[in-house]
């Protein structure tokens, strides 16, 4: 089943995450970067087109045999649905309608959520902004695998299973690490999504529903496009906790591969992140591809699920449960995040 990994504990540090300080330094040296900030007017139309494509796919798969439903689920549906999760990631930073229309972004994310089948856009917003503000923060950043994951998924075979089950762990981890009170937006997200799922089943039967849900699970698990989950923040170089990727998969993932750039400037839409290169010199660690890192993670005996940098934090109850951008004045706070 493979040897155990050499590292089964996190890399503990006692300093703040580097991106906030780097943002200040870059803006002081290259103030022209500010011209890239603000909403992306194309984003909402791209998302609408993707939703329509999946609606058309729902209609087309309803009459296929099950073997072809499963084939197109992995070959096409999983790619679109994974890309849609990254569209929701973009919208969570208010890049669809801007900071002054924060609620428009929240409801538009619910619309983008429809072909995914799992109601998560409202919760993702809450936890993702914590990920930016407290990157690697112990007990706050739910992108960090739990101690159990680091301890148990420590051989090649177990890491392979962990990659397959990534969507499950991403769903359960917030409840274990940093549970928060349910909000009205999350209830709305749940009701809207369940209503859509039931309506889809009533109109066209079980096959579109399986195509939708299985596509989401497969696309975020053992799939080349999901390699960025590992490539972004696993510690491949000692002391470095964020890595970028500049390959062709960025065309499907709203440039999420530009991950150092994104953490330095979350208010710059993904479409404009490559433009930073023309305005400054950017030197950050990078990966050849997410898929290769996914394979290397599973095969090598040096990195396991605990291969992250973790930071000790002391937070108030309000900060822990409400999040950095959920206190009064969300629009102003999210200009930074």
């Amino acid at each position: 089943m493979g040897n155990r990994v050499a590292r089964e504990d996190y890399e503990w540090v006692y300093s703040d995450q580097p991106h906030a300080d780097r943002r200040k330094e870059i803006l002081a040296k290259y103030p022209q970067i500010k011209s890239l900030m603000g909403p992306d007017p194309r984003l909402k139309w791209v998302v609408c087109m993707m939703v329509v494509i999946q609606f058309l796919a729902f209609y087309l798969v309803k009459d296929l045999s099950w073997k072809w439903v499963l084939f197109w689920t992995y070959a096409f549906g999983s790619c679109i649905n994974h890309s849609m999760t990254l569209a929701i990631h973009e919208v969570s930073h208010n890049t669809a309608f801007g900071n002054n229309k924060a609620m428009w972004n929240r409801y538009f994310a619910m619309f983008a959520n429809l072909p995914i089948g799992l109601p998560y856009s409202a919760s993702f917003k809450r936890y993702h902004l914590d990920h930016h503000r407290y990157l690697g923060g112990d007990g706050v950043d739910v992108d960090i695998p739990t101690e159990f994951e680091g301890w148990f998924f420590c051989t090649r075979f177990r890491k392979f299973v962990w990659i397959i089950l990534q969507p499950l762990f991403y769903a359960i981890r917030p409840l274990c690490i940093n549970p928060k009170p349910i909000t009205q937006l999350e209830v709305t997200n749940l009701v809207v999504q369940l209503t859509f799922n039931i309506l889809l089943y009533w109109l066209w039967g079980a096959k579109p529903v399986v195509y939708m849900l299985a596509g989401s699970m497969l696309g975020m698990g053992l799939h080349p496009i999901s390699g960025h989950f590992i490539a972004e923040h696993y510690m491949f170089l000692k002391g470095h906790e964020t890595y970028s990727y500049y390959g062709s998969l960025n065309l499907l993932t709203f440039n999420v591969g530009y991950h150092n750039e994104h953490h330095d400037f979350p208010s710059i839409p993904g479409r404009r992140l490559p433009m930073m290169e023309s305005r400054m010199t950017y030197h950050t660690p990078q990966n050849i591809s997410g898929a290769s890192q996914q394979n290397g993670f599973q095969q090598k005996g040096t990195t396991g699920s605990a291969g992250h940098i973790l930071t000790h934090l002391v937070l108030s109850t309000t900060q822990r449960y409400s999040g950095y951008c959920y206190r009064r004045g969300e629009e102003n706070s999210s200009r930074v995040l």
Side-chain angles (χ1 to χ4, degrees), residues 304-316:
S305 302
H308 281 267
I309 292 178
L310 213 61
T311 305
H312 286 281
L313 293 175
V314 179
L315 301 178
S316 67

Side-chain angles (χ1 to χ4, degrees), residues 236-248:
F236 298 103
L237 295 174
K238 187 172 178 62
H240 294 280
E241 55 190 317
T242 307
Y243 301 80
S244 293
Y245 157 72
Y246 301 117
S248 58

Side-chain angles (χ1 to χ4, degrees), residues 210-258:
V210 171
Y211 167 87
M212 173 178 65
L213 296 175
S216 297
M217 295 296 292
L218 291 171
M220 290 184 283
L222 188 64
H223 197 285
I225 202 172
S226 70
H228 70 90
F229 286 133
I230 291 172
E232 289 166 355
H233 292 297
Y234 277 78
M235 191 180 67
F236 298 103
L237 295 174
K238 187 172 178 62
H240 294 280
E241 55 190 317
T242 307
Y243 301 80
S244 293
Y245 157 72
Y246 301 117
S248 58
L249 280 178
N250 281 311
L251 296 173
L252 299 176
T253 59
F254 294 88
N255 286 326
V256 75
Y258 289 75

Side-chain angles (χ1 to χ4, degrees), residues 158-174:
R158 291 182 189 180
K159 286 191 288 182
F160 175 75
V161 172
W162 182 83
I163 291 172
I164 295 174
L165 298 178
Q166 269 191 115
L168 178 64
F169 287 112
Y170 267 94
I172 295 176
R173 202 180 291 147

Side-chain angles (χ1 to χ4, degrees), residues 50-252:
M50 293 169 65
V51 171
V52 169
I53 288 173
Q54 277 297 69
F55 283 5
L56 177 61
F58 294 157
Y59 175 78
L60 294 175
V61 301
K62 69 182 179 67
D63 295 321
L64 296 179
S65 64
W66 277 108
K67 67 177 181 180
W68 286 110
V69 171
L70 296 177
F71 172 80
W72 288 114
T73 294
Y74 191 82
F76 182 77
S78 59
C79 298
I80 293 289
N81 276 12
H82 190 107
S83 184
M84 191 65 73
T85 66
L86 295 169
I88 291 173
H89 165 256
E90 281 282 289
V91 177
S92 73
H93 291 287
N94 293 340
T95 55
F97 297 98
N99 294 305
N100 294 328
K101 297 180 179 178
M103 290 306 298
W104 288 34
N105 289 283
R106 303 291 78 74
Y107 288 117
F108 186 66
M110 293 184 197
F111 168 73
N113 198 153
L114 291 179
I116 295 173
L118 307 170
Y120 89 103
S121 65
S123 297
F124 175 81
K125 162 77 174 181
R126 302 181 72 192
Y127 285 102
H128 184 65
L129 296 188
D130 282 348
H131 168 68
H132 275 271
R133 178 64 182 89
Y134 305 112
L135 177 63
D138 182 26
V140 178
D141 185 358
V142 297
D143 276 23
I144 305 295
T146 62
E147 290 184 11
F148 169 78
E149 292 171 73
W151 168 77
F152 185 77
F153 296 99
C154 57
T155 67
R156 290 178 182 176
F157 177 75
R158 291 182 189 180
K159 286 191 288 182
F160 175 75
V161 172
W162 182 83
I163 291 172
I164 295 174
L165 298 178
Q166 269 191 115
L168 178 64
F169 287 112
Y170 267 94
I172 295 176
R173 202 180 291 147
L175 303 177
C176 301
I177 294 178
N178 187 19
K180 297 184 179 186
I182 297 175
T183 66
Q184 183 60 49
L185 278 175
E186 289 174 302
V187 173
T188 302
N189 189 191
L190 175 65
V191 171
V192 168
Q193 189 64 58
L194 288 180
T195 301
F196 174 79
N197 293 356
I198 293 170
L199 182 62
L200 180 64
Y201 178 80
W202 179 71
L203 285 174
W204 294 330
K207 290 178 181 178
V209 177
V210 171
Y211 167 87
M212 173 178 65
L213 296 175
S216 297
M217 295 296 292
L218 291 171
M220 290 184 283
L222 188 64
H223 197 285
I225 202 172
S226 70
H228 70 90
F229 286 133
I230 291 172
E232 289 166 355
H233 292 297
Y234 277 78
M235 191 180 67
F236 298 103
L237 295 174
K238 187 172 178 62
H240 294 280
E241 55 190 317
T242 307
Y243 301 80
S244 293
Y245 157 72
Y246 301 117
S248 58
L249 280 178
N250 281 311
L251 296 173
L252 299 176

